[in-house]
Amino acid sequence: MKLFATHCSECHGARGVGQDPGHPEGQWLDSGTRIAPALNEQGHAWMYPPELIFQKVKVGLLDETSAMPAYAESMSDREIEMLIH
């Protein structure tokens, strides 16, 4: 999907395996930040309801340990919904 390739694959991997496939749940770095987790069945995103994932994509993670940006300015609500599904 083009939306995923454009907005998500840089961090979550082209196939949704995360920044480090050896740590699909994500991993804490020595700097105190986290790497992007897998979005496939190996990671943890699948267990969240779509409404929560929608909010995380739209407004980003407001936690300084995460690099997850907000996409409200670059994707419509419909595009975010399509991305999640």
Side-chain angles (χ1 to χ4, degrees):
M1 173 183 258
K2 188 174 182 174
L3 286 171
F4 186 86
T6 301
H7 299 286
C8 311
S9 65
E10 183 178 340
C11 294
H12 291 286
R15 296 186 178 200
V17 298
Q19 283 180 308
D20 182 352
H23 294 91
E25 294 288 329
Q27 180 182 14
W28 288 97
L29 301 175
D30 291 339
S31 64
T33 59
R34 293 179 284 173
I35 62 170
L39 299 176
N40 60 19
E41 68 279 352
Q42 300 297 312
H44 68 279
W46 61 268
M47 66 184 178
Y48 294 118
E51 299 81 15
L52 180 59
I53 296 172
F54 178 90
Q55 285 302 313
K56 289 181 179 201
V57 174
K58 185 168 182 160
V59 301
L61 295 178
L62 305 176
D63 166 347
E64 66 275 353
T65 66
S66 175
M68 177 69 187
Y71 286 99
E73 298 294 321
S74 58
M75 281 195 278
S76 69
D77 286 359
R78 179 70 183 131
E79 288 174 316
I80 295 171
E81 289 170 0
M82 289 172 25
L83 180 70
I84 292 168
H85 296 286

